[in-house]
Amino acid sequence: MDIAVIGTGYVGLVTGAVFAELGNHVICVDKMPERIAMLKDLKMPFFEPGLREMVERNMEDGRLSFTTDTGEAVKASEIIFIAVGTPPKENGETDLGQVEAAAAEIGKNYNNYKIIVNKSTVPVGTGDLVREIIVRHKPPELDIHVVSNPEFLSEGQAVADALNPDRIVIGAPNQQVAMKLIELYSILEKPMIITSVRSAEMIKYASNAFLATKVSFINSVANLCEKVGADVDEVRRGMGLDDRIGSRFLRAGVGYGGSCFPKDTESLLNVSKAFGAEMQILEGTIAVNRTQPVLFVDKAESVLGTLDGKLIGVLGLSFKPNTDDIREASALHIIALLQERGARVQVYDPMAMDNVRRSGLQASFCEDEYDAAAGADAVMVLTEWNRFRQLNFSRLKRVMAGAHLFDGRNIYDPAVVRRYGLSYHGVGRPSVFADETH
Ligand code: UDX
């Protein structure tokens, strides 16, 4: 099939590459000439395992191309995916400016029957808005249908997720339109669910908000575990073995970040208020997530006596491992709090250092984890990169001035840490003090 994908952000670029990989002809469009030039040069705008290779392969085979010319891409395609950004506005509403601009361009270049597919995460009812805008601009005699086909890919494993999704949601106005999308996706041999456009839009928001709520729920349980002397890691394992609950997204820590959970929970809450069906549960989800970094810093302050003048080594800056994405990363909130309370900070992340430097953060940027720990009163692990799981504790202890390890993702065994003369402080687990620090 001939496909256009408007927007070369995370969702757009991965979607375009994967559809090309599956044998379609795909044109990816972006308004930013620098970005298109970079992509033609095989430079990816973000790191995602396997993406560059897939783009290269499909460009060489002539199935994938890049352009800034939306008109050209629209005219050449029978299915057009809208995958542009939908950032939040100051007041928590979703900014649909880029979606509206894409719809207007599609309308102006509408030369034959096409199916327009919305992949961006958008408030319920946006499908109708896109349709209205296109109808306003297109020749009246040509038919048009708008589909909602939300994307569930997870950063760091986006290519694998796109090729191997749990389910494919197709929100279509009628069966005939749905069939076209079924045809496109049938090669993946995955479960597909056909719904109304509005239900599909809702499925995306509800899924992300549910997962975020699961994380905030376990974080609340963790905070209680600390008070009552239980270990949330044991609680999580006990809960997760119940099939009805499931073990995933039950890891307590310093809170969720990224480009989806924070934005989508706010946006769904906003929509629910606007329609008079306020989802109070989301107020709680969001509030717990805002508090989680504060509680972690409070704990460090109480253990160290004060943060004023202390040197803290921070390991991990991205919002989760295997990505250089630092949007809404809990690590950055924690660093800001540490600095507010007078601490100096040395940081290291395997992949996100450049993005953090560009963000303007004032800190010492280090070569590796041991460099970041050098002379530190305490070390905080805030992203569970695999290489941090393999920390050499005796080397860590040797280079540090103090002996406190704060595990913001509960990745270490407290007893093992203690064996190396370090005190262990996790989230929702009892602290274990090394003799000399207690
Ligand atoms: C998420 C959804 O998983 C994906 O389906 C959707 O399309 C986009 O949003 P992503 O933002 O890439 O994907 O990351 P995800 O792996 O879901 O993690 C989100 C945040 O939650 C991270 O900060 C992570 O550290 C945190 N998290 C996740 C926890 O704190 N505990 C968990 O158990 C799981």
Side-chain angles (χ1 to χ4, degrees):
M1 289 187 203
D2 291 313
I3 294 173
V5 180
I6 304 180
T8 60
Y10 233 98
V11 171
L13 187 53
V14 173
T15 302
V18 166
F19 279 135
E21 180 82 1
L22 297 177
N24 302 285
H25 278 104
V26 181
I27 310 177
C28 288
V29 192
D30 206 294
K31 283 272 164 233
M32 290 186 279
E34 329 76 68
R35 178 167 282 220
I36 291 299
M38 270 174 67
L39 284 165
K40 284 183 173 169
D41 225 14
L42 282 173
K43 294 200 183 81
M44 301 299 110
F46 47 82
F47 172 76
E48 188 61 43
L51 182 63
R52 205 196 83 94
E53 295 79 0
M54 190 180 270
V55 168
E56 179 170 23
R57 195 162 55 236
N58 285 284
M59 278 176 80
E60 271 172 12
D61 291 352
R63 283 190 303 270
L64 181 63
S65 60
F66 295 98
T67 180
T68 51
D69 187 344
T70 314
E72 170 208 330
V74 167
K75 286 186 188 126
S77 306
E78 51 182 324
I79 303 185
I80 298 163
F81 285 88
I82 299 179
V84 295
T86 50
K89 293 191 208 165
E90 285 280 307
N91 62 4
E93 279 174 28
T94 305
D95 183 349
L96 290 174
Q98 295 179 50
V99 173
E100 290 167 0
E105 286 283 322
I106 294 169
K108 284 177 198 156
N109 293 284
Y110 205 82
N111 58 340
N112 51 28
Y113 174 68
K114 296 171 197 302
I115 295 178
I116 315 304
V117 187
N118 195 9
K119 254 203 187 299
S120 303
T121 303
V122 290
V124 180
T126 305
D128 291 336
L129 174 73
V130 166
R131 190 172 191 287
E132 278 160 31
I133 295 173
I134 297 175
V135 166
R136 218 178 292 151
H137 293 93
K138 76 168 180 61
E141 67 282 7
L142 297 177
D143 226 0
I144 180 216
H145 286 113
V146 177
V147 171
S148 167
N149 169 221
E151 190 51 71
F152 299 98
L153 47 83
S154 182
E155 290 186 25
Q157 54 184 62
V159 172
D161 280 351
L163 284 169
N164 192 22
D166 285 346
R167 78 304 203 183
I168 295 154
V169 176
I170 300 171
N174 62 51
Q175 200 60 31
Q176 194 195 339
V177 175
M179 282 311 292
K180 192 79 185 164
L181 271 285
I182 291 174
E183 199 188 318
L184 178 67
Y185 279 111
S186 58
I187 189 169
L188 294 178
E189 296 183 355
K190 291 291 166 187
M192 297 193 211
I193 172 166
I194 313 300
T195 69
S196 71
V197 175
R198 285 179 182 236
S199 295
E201 291 169 337
M202 195 66 194
I203 287 169
K204 170 71 191 192
Y205 266 132
S207 300
N208 274 355
F210 184 82
L211 291 171
T213 302
K214 213 173 164 189
V215 173
S216 277
F217 183 87
I218 198 68
N219 281 336
S220 302
V221 171
N223 299 337
L224 181 57
C225 281
E226 285 190 15
K227 302 279 182 205
V228 301
D231 182 333
V232 73
D233 208 50
E234 293 173 353
V235 175
R236 159 187 81 84
R237 279 185 269 139
M239 287 172 67
L241 286 172
D242 184 330
D243 273 351
R244 295 169 303 175
I245 297 173
S247 58
R248 300 178 68 191
F249 283 78
L250 271 188
R251 290 194 164 271
V254 285
Y256 60 77
S259 62
C260 292
F261 286 5
K263 169 170 88 80
D264 294 352
T265 43
E266 292 278 0
S267 182
L268 185 57
L269 179 61
N270 219 278
V271 170
S272 71
K273 282 182 183 162
F275 283 85
E278 182 171 345
M279 291 180 67
Q280 284 165 336
I281 193 165
L282 291 184
E283 305 259 16
T285 300
I286 294 165
V288 169
N289 200 56
R290 290 216 179 105
T291 313
Q292 215 54 16
V294 183
L295 293 177
F296 195 67
V297 173
D298 286 349
K299 180 186 291 182
E301 190 163 43
S302 128
V303 167
L304 297 174
T306 174
L307 287 170
D308 200 15
K310 297 285 191 228
L311 182 60
I312 312 290
V314 170
L315 310 187
L317 303 167
S318 56
F319 83 96
K320 67 173 196 178
N322 303 323
T323 175
D324 60 359
D325 197 339
I326 56 166
R327 283 176 287 179
E328 296 296 329
S330 302
L332 300 189
H333 297 305
I334 288 172
I335 291 171
L337 288 167
L338 289 170
Q339 292 179 329
E340 248 171 63
R341 300 188 193 181
R344 286 175 301 126
V345 177
Q346 305 185 148
V347 301
Y348 172 70
D349 186 282
M351 214 168 259
M353 297 292 266
D354 286 347
N355 282 343
V356 175
R357 269 197 201 93
R358 274 195 290 271
S359 78
L361 179 86
Q362 298 296 316
S364 304
F365 290 86
C366 299
E367 288 298 312
D368 62 22
E369 42 278 71
Y370 305 101
D371 190 21
D377 296 291
V379 164
M380 291 184 169
V381 177
L382 302 180
T383 315
E384 67 278 33
W385 285 93
N386 268 342
R387 61 181 283 165
F388 299 155
R389 292 179 192 270
Q390 319 295 332
L391 268 187
N392 179 333
F393 293 126
S394 56
R395 183 166 169 204
L396 194 76
K397 171 87 177 9
R398 230 179 14 252
V399 298
M400 287 174 69
H404 290 284
L405 178 61
F406 289 87
D407 178 4
R409 298 290 174 181
N410 289 351
I411 57 176
Y412 303 116
D413 180 340
V416 172
V417 172
R418 183 176 184 275
R419 223 178 286 147
Y420 289 89
L422 290 160
S423 292
Y424 176 89
H425 313 280
V427 177
R429 329 172 75 178
S431 284
V432 177
F433 287 88
D435 295 338
E436 68 238 55
T437 58
H438 197 36

